[in-house]
Amino acid sequence: MKKLINDPEQVVNESIEGFAAAHRDQVTAHFDPTWVVRNDAPVPGKVGIVSGGGSGHEPLHAGFIGPGMLDAACPGEVFTSPVPDQMQPATKAVDGGAGVLHIVKNYTGDVANFEMAAELAEAEGTRVRSVVIDDDVAVQDSSFTAGRRGVGGTVLAEKILGAAADKGYDLDQCADLLERVNNQVRSMGMALTPCTVPQAGEPTFELEEHEMEIGIGIHGEPGRERMPLESADAITQRLVNAVVEDLPFRRGDEVLLFVNGMGATPLMELYIVYRAAERLLADHGITVVRNLVGDYITSLEMAGASVTLLKMDDELTQLWDAPVKTPGLRWGM
Amino acid sequence: MPIDAAVVTAAVRSCADVIAEHRHELTKLDSAIGDADHGTNLHRGFQAALVRLPDPGDALPADVLKAVSMALVSKVGGASGPLYGTAFLRAAGAVDGAEHLDASQVADALAAALAGVQQRGKAELGDKTIVDALSPAVDAARASVDAGGGAREALRAAADAAAEGAEATIPLVARKGRASYLGERSAGHKDPGATSTTLLIQTLAEQEGCEA
């Protein structure tokens, strides 16, 4: 294992300390239990937006704290769900009287811990609604699995819900909107190389030089299939087709196209994927009206990319365009 | 000796010892079909529980169980934290107010733990989870009590049923939790959660003082 760290046991704490120091004008970090909150929380009358999950996906989630996006985030250990002790103070701190929305990625641990946190917060008098994101088409959604994983769609959901809360949507409207976003967003990822959890010290799986894993999760979980490496255009076609066929997106649809890097893929390569994806969508009669390209939901130093499509309409486009000012995403302010 | 707060406290200490002893084995089971942290996480949780145990002199069995629940929820993380945390919380609720537990209350506590785990995890029998050990354990404990058995007999019956249930998870395809992403590839491995549940119930069955 070759990493720029001091102590495998301290990576999350030391990283959050550095993050909070670099952005001290905007966020404050609390430790033991660990949670990060915007400095001006709670915003009176606004629905508080809280998310969280295992660390190792930076800038998700703490990097998206700030006006127009999240009010607080709860980082767990690397690839490990946070615990209710973290969500409880975060939820309380961002309740400006309009309740708090939890944005939860669909993993058994995340869902169970956020569920307990919501029950505890409700018992203390904070209204909480919780919506689970499950946009990964690589996992078959059936009663025979834990269901689809929450991946790239989470970034888009956090941006859109942050804007909605700023605009004055109430808690139920926020929860309804989040469900709608989740229903019309789909993602699919692939990996060229595995990643290594610092505490584990060994890669989560092995890939030969000429191999790739299609349908990868964001924790190095297995994907749909392992196959010989192909060109960027061919790989993009696999990802885009899997996503388009799933929703199903239709001719005439307008979409937000999000090409995400898994952590170790150069932006140069992500734009090669974007180029191919936009052309493929045009062939399907689908118009890209907004886009996002870069490392936003990563998997440590994994090389690879994911493609996310969100079906857009006027409301979602307006919310996407609204100003946002966070360490990880910023425009309009 | 009645099963009072002191006996329950001693049982929690024994459980912490057993988890410490078997943590590498549990983590190894988890690395085959999960994310290789079950033993490590559960060990961390039980060590935290030891620190939070109330003084058995002025506590009820439910207080001890509640303290364990809170420690597990706070420190275990992943899916097993809320699942085991809920199990202990519901067990505490089932014996709320009691100074000592009789055999029937022990069976009630196990049944409440199972109901909590199922509500939290939405798992059914055969999904390759904790439920596959805990559910037969509850049935066996209840049957033993109904047949006039004491707490020791009920817990021994529960432990045997749990062990059998855990073994029976080996050929199963996981339908809940991270192992379910593996689909057919999850078959052929014993479920770590069912294994740790069995270890805990076996420990209770051998605990000194569980004679009521």
Side-chain angles (χ1 to χ4, degrees), chain A residues 48-284:
Chain A
I49 312 280
V50 174
S51 191
S55 293
H57 308 304
E58 291 70 19
L60 190 85
H61 297 273
F64 299 137
I65 296 174
M69 218 160 164
L70 299 179
D71 293 277
C74 305
E77 287 301 314
V78 175
F79 296 172
T80 301
S81 139
V83 297
D85 284 25
Q86 297 169 257
M87 284 78 118
Q88 231 183 327
T91 300
K92 207 172 165 183
V94 305
D95 182 16
V100 178
L101 181 72
H102 286 173
I103 303 181
V104 185
K105 301 197 296 304
N106 190 33
Y107 300 94
T108 310
D110 291 61
V111 171
N113 280 285
F114 267 100
E115 214 173 83
M116 287 200 89
E119 286 173 23
L120 293 166
E122 294 266 357
E124 286 189 350
T126 301
R127 250 196 99 208
V128 175
R129 293 276 318 255
S130 193
V131 176
V132 173
I133 305 287
D134 56 351
D135 58 315
D136 185 0
V137 306
V139 177
Q140 277 194 332
D141 189 16
S142 72
S143 55
F144 300 104
T145 65
R148 290 183 157 175
R149 303 172 287 216
V151 288
T154 314
V155 176
L156 310 183
E158 290 180 0
K159 163 68 187 83
I160 287 167
L161 265 297
D166 268 359
K167 276 198 144 183
Y169 284 48
D170 69 23
L171 183 56
D172 290 330
Q173 289 169 326
C174 282
D176 291 348
L177 174 67
L178 185 47
E179 269 162 20
R180 191 159 78 79
V181 169
N182 186 49
N183 285 336
Q184 53 199 62
V185 68
R186 295 291 188 278
S187 300
M188 175 92 161
M190 59 81 57
L192 297 167
T193 67
C195 58
T196 298
V197 174
Q199 290 97 322
E202 284 170 22
T204 49
F205 59 96
E206 303 284 344
L207 271 180
E208 298 294 331
E209 184 61 27
H210 59 279
E211 281 181 331
M212 62 176 177
E213 181 96 15
I214 293 280
I216 195 81
I218 52 173
H219 307 96
E221 312 98 308
R224 267 192 189 174
E225 52 184 324
R226 182 163 299 191
M227 53 174 56
L229 184 60
E230 298 174 335
S231 70
D233 285 355
I235 293 169
T236 306
Q237 186 160 13
R238 285 184 188 279
L239 301 183
V240 168
N241 284 351
V243 168
V244 168
E245 282 161 18
D246 193 90
L247 191 48
F249 290 91
R250 276 188 284 273
R251 192 162 282 278
D253 277 349
E254 298 193 330
V255 298
L256 186 158
L257 168 59
F258 170 29
V259 174
N260 173 63
M262 291 296 189
T265 300
L267 197 49
M268 190 177 78
E269 293 173 22
L270 295 182
Y271 278 116
I272 294 174
V273 172
Y274 183 86
R275 166 185 179 268
E278 210 188 63
R279 289 178 180 187
L280 283 163
L281 290 171
D283 292 344
H284 284 284

Side-chain angles (χ1 to χ4, degrees), chain B residues 73-149:
Chain B
V73 168
S74 299
K75 294 296 175 189
V76 177
S80 46
L83 291 172
Y84 274 121
T86 303
F88 277 85
L89 192 63
R90 295 298 166 81
V95 300
D96 196 27
E99 281 189 39
H100 337 104
L101 313 183
D102 59 24
S104 182
Q105 285 167 310
V106 169
D108 288 347
L110 284 175
L114 171 64
V117 167
Q118 289 201 281
Q119 188 211 334
R120 187 70 65 203
K122 285 129 199 141
E124 299 292 333
L125 203 58
D127 285 349
K128 200 172 181 116
T129 70
I130 291 172
V131 172
D132 293 323
L134 192 49
S135 175
V138 167
D139 292 343
R142 178 57 62 202
S144 168
V145 171
D146 287 348

